[in-house]
Amino acid sequence: MTDFRARIAAAYDADAFRRESHRLMDMLADYLANASRAEGPVLPWAAPAVNVDRFAAAFPESPTGDFTDLIARVLSGSNHLHHPRYVGHQVTAPVPLAALCDAVSSLLNNGMAVYEMGPVSTAMERNVLRWMAARLGLPETTDGVLTSGGSLGNLTALLAARQAKAGYDAWNGGAHAGPPLTVLAPKTTHYSLARATRIMGWGEGGVTPVDVDDRFRLRPESLEAALEAATRAGRKVIAVVASAGSTATGAFDPLEPIADFCERHGLWLHVDGAHGASAVLSPAHRHLVRGIDRADSVTWDAHKGLLMPALVTAVLFRDGARSFESFSQEASYIFHGDTERPWSDIGLRTMECTKEMMALKVYACLAVLGTRLFSDAVTESYELTRRFAQRLAVATDFDVAVQPECNILCFRHTPAQVPPEDWDALQTRLRERLVTRGDFYLVQTRLPQGVYLRITVINPLTTDADLEALVDALRAAALR
């Protein structure tokens, strides 16, 4: 056996893999237990340059055998999303079973461009999407794909909307083969929408903003004026993009009157439900997305309300045939036949060609843990956030920007000793103090009234007591 053959055999040795796996699982289980008990900081803060030095890339030529030491350093220095005082970005604390599925996916490495490269994961994806579509109330004609995040999901949906409503073949003819296009969207829409339209070559005018109300929800009565303004500017409006759980404040646009407007004007309705589509799982809160069943396309992130590791986003099309219109390609070594478009060759409908087995973790967790766990997680996160907002609303030294509809809350600390003109700077200082000390991980946002702290109660391990502790920590930090 050559030296290479010996080394490659060692790298793929099943017994060595078993030993490393057992050690790794013990480490991860200990990490999960400690983080869940709120032991240690949420984020062990270190400046970027410090971490670059800590992980200097001195890669050896020969094996070192220190895998567990390396992982221990990764665990100790990372952001601990399973810590109950993680209330930051819209990335959940994944249910542990899903992490095991990721290991299976990585080892099998069944890319999903064509069915034969991922037969099981392709079947699972189809059934996961059917389940999600049924929860949304979409018809049996619905089809779609899983893709890598809400930003790519929105782009995928808008590409299909363009082919359906532009009036010309923009895929083959280019962005300038017809009149410039635009979509109507609330002023508070996620930045991925502007990014998607610019990628498609629509430029700055690719998104026409629509006024929002005092709760940051799109005003349906403002759609007509926005349509007229876009038309006067020489733009052809092809779609309205509504938010179901906006990123900044968690606002839910009124979908039914928006759908009525789209029907009257022959426009595509896309609902960015990356965050809030999960409300359909909660009997107490599904009314927030009433009308989502009338959408032409919907995005829904499983790595938010469904407790999955990032990234898993469903893109669902009411007319399943439209899912083939996002992308068009020729690759004779993969796709065979000029007219045949089998649903099972998922690479025909996604930006990704080689795609991980995304559906495995969603399918396995729904099948093994049951759907009620995820329904209850949505309900509890929404209700916990609302209880906290009520607690802040009666405090004399806090200001809630808007009463939360879901699990996103914007608020600020307004102690009497700090003049209003200094409130913006105070919120920034408070966040920095809590995050760098590792007490909590939260973020901030700028609203028309100024800078606000922003929390997303997305970790199912977070309790009322943790949020009470956040109030105490903010008050104490403000006195320093």
Side-chain angles (χ1 to χ4, degrees), residues 175-294:
H176 303 294
L181 306 176
T182 191
V183 297
L184 309 182
K187 292 179 177 179
T188 53
T189 194
H190 191 260
Y191 70 87
S192 66
L193 183 60
R195 180 176 289 181
T197 56
R198 286 172 185 264
I199 288 171
M200 290 190 289
W202 299 1
E204 185 178 2
V207 178
T208 299
V210 182
D211 289 339
V212 297
D213 62 18
D214 58 0
R215 299 188 67 179
F216 304 100
R217 301 171 300 189
L218 182 148
R219 293 180 181 271
E221 64 272 20
S222 297
L223 284 167
E224 200 73 49
L227 175 62
E228 292 173 2
T231 303
R232 287 195 304 270
R235 294 272 177 171
K236 179 176 181 178
V237 177
I238 65 166
V240 176
V241 178
S243 297
S246 67
T247 298
T249 62
F252 286 76
D253 293 333
L255 300 180
E256 289 188 313
I258 296 172
D260 291 341
F261 175 83
C262 289
E263 287 183 6
R264 285 197 305 271
H265 293 278
L267 302 177
W268 182 285
L269 173 57
H270 172 62
V271 176
D272 180 356
H275 185 83
S278 294
V280 296
L281 302 180
S282 169
H285 301 290
R286 62 167 60 112
H287 66 276
L288 293 169
V289 290
R290 186 177 295 118
I292 200 169
D293 57 307
R294 298 172 64 185

Side-chain angles (χ1 to χ4, degrees), residues 110-395:
N110 275 204
M112 297 176 61
V114 290
Y115 172 75
E116 62 197 48
M117 276 300 294
V120 171
S121 50
T122 299
M124 285 183 166
E125 180 164 324
R126 190 159 180 82
N127 283 301
V128 164
L129 291 168
R130 283 174 169 171
W131 178 82
M132 297 175 88
R135 303 289 78 72
L136 293 169
L138 291 168
E140 292 185 0
T141 56
T142 301
D143 200 356
V145 292
L146 296 179
T147 192
S148 303
S151 295
L152 193 52
N154 284 337
L155 173 61
T156 302
L158 290 180
L159 285 168
R162 182 180 67 175
Q163 286 298 96
K165 297 295 184 178
Y168 58 92
D169 185 359
W171 180 266
N172 292 303
H176 303 294
L181 306 176
T182 191
V183 297
L184 309 182
K187 292 179 177 179
T188 53
T189 194
H190 191 260
Y191 70 87
S192 66
L193 183 60
R195 180 176 289 181
T197 56
R198 286 172 185 264
I199 288 171
M200 290 190 289
W202 299 1
E204 185 178 2
V207 178
T208 299
V210 182
D211 289 339
V212 297
D213 62 18
D214 58 0
R215 299 188 67 179
F216 304 100
R217 301 171 300 189
L218 182 148
R219 293 180 181 271
E221 64 272 20
S222 297
L223 284 167
E224 200 73 49
L227 175 62
E228 292 173 2
T231 303
R232 287 195 304 270
R235 294 272 177 171
K236 179 176 181 178
V237 177
I238 65 166
V240 176
V241 178
S243 297
S246 67
T247 298
T249 62
F252 286 76
D253 293 333
L255 300 180
E256 289 188 313
I258 296 172
D260 291 341
F261 175 83
C262 289
E263 287 183 6
R264 285 197 305 271
H265 293 278
L267 302 177
W268 182 285
L269 173 57
H270 172 62
V271 176
D272 180 356
H275 185 83
S278 294
V280 296
L281 302 180
S282 169
H285 301 290
R286 62 167 60 112
H287 66 276
L288 293 169
V289 290
R290 186 177 295 118
I292 200 169
D293 57 307
R294 298 172 64 185
D296 294 289
S297 58
V298 179
T299 50
W300 180 358
D301 285 358
H303 54 274
K304 293 185 171 69
L306 285 176
L307 309 180
M308 293 294 109
L311 292 163
V312 188
T313 294
V315 189
L316 294 157
F317 296 91
R318 162 182 287 279
D319 178 355
R322 296 293 187 190
S323 67
F324 289 93
E325 297 182 358
S326 299
F327 306 98
S328 177
Q329 62 284 301
E330 293 181 4
S332 60
Y333 65 96
I334 296 179
F335 306 116
H336 309 292
D338 295 331
T339 59
E340 183 182 2
R341 300 189 300 182
W343 66 264
S344 53
D345 288 347
I346 294 176
L348 288 166
R349 297 181 287 161
T350 57
M351 179 70 79
E352 305 99 331
C353 183
T354 303
K355 186 180 78 171
E356 70 163 339
M357 301 167 67
M358 294 180 183
L360 172 60
K361 48 196 160 192
V362 184
Y363 185 101
C365 290
L366 291 173
V368 174
L369 301 177
T371 61
R372 183 177 175 182
L373 176 71
F374 303 96
S375 170
D376 289 349
V378 172
T379 300
E380 175 59 19
S381 68
Y382 284 26
E383 295 183 355
L384 176 56
T385 306
R386 294 182 180 192
R387 291 196 299 271
F388 184 53
Q390 291 168 359
R391 159 80 170 81
L392 295 179
V394 299

